[in-house]
Amino acid sequence: MRSLFHFAFNVTDLNTARHFYGDLLGCTEGRSTDTWVDFDFYDHQISLHLGEPLKTQNTGRVDGKLVPMPHFGLALNLADWQAMAERLKAAGTAFVLEPHLRFAGQPGEQWTMFFLDPFGNPLEIKGFADLATIYGA
């Protein structure tokens, strides 16, 4: 069975969202109205609706640092992850957790970074040399 993930969440300004998710993250815009916009989030659908963003708390632990929960994100091949990390750095993104390598030389070796969208929604983007190792096997 093939399926796509769908996630709908709130933002406070659709034009700012279009810039961040479209221009900076490289997502293609889909359908929209005056109250929401869809994006192709690397072959998954996100729907950004006008409203109050979710409240988060820094309760997750990654490499000894607290990260926001809940959060969402992507697992990318390493070249795409590196390109995104460079775009985010060039844009002056304030990272919650700077891009870095986790589990070096171990099953599930991955690069990761945490940051917030302009509305405070937290994202984690992971990069893998081989996406088949995402579950550490």
Side-chain angles (χ1 to χ4, degrees):
M1 173 179 16
R2 183 172 190 275
S3 63
L4 300 176
F5 184 77
H6 165 78
F7 181 53
F9 57 97
N10 288 335
V11 298
T12 57
D13 181 270
L14 295 180
N15 287 329
T16 301
R18 283 181 167 104
H19 171 69
F20 183 81
Y21 287 94
D23 299 334
L24 186 56
L25 295 188
C27 301
T28 303
E29 185 173 333
R31 289 180 294 226
S32 67
T33 70
D34 58 345
T35 63
W36 57 266
V37 61
D38 284 344
F39 283 97
D40 176 342
F41 191 63
Y42 292 78
D43 293 332
H44 301 283
Q45 183 191 44
I46 56 173
S47 296
L48 288 60
H49 292 256
L50 289 176
E52 185 66 30
L54 289 172
K55 299 215 182 298
T56 63
Q57 291 184 309
N58 290 344
T59 58
R61 292 193 181 275
V62 174
D63 299 335
K65 295 197 175 207
L66 292 175
V67 297
M69 297 294 289
H71 61 263
F72 72 103
L74 294 166
L76 299 173
N77 70 56
L78 190 53
D80 290 337
W81 182 90
Q82 289 168 329
M84 184 180 289
E86 290 306 314
R87 285 196 311 274
L88 290 164
K89 288 177 187 176
T93 300
F95 290 95
V96 173
L97 201 59
E98 293 281 334
H100 71 284
L101 179 63
R102 300 185 74 205
F103 312 120
Q106 300 176 47
E109 178 179 281
Q110 61 189 261
W111 289 84
T112 191
M113 59 183 151
F114 279 82
F115 53 93
L116 305 177
D117 76 5
F119 317 100
N121 295 305
L123 290 92
E124 177 185 17
I125 310 297
K126 298 178 179 188
F128 292 84
D130 180 358
L131 285 170
T133 66
I134 189 170
Y135 299 107

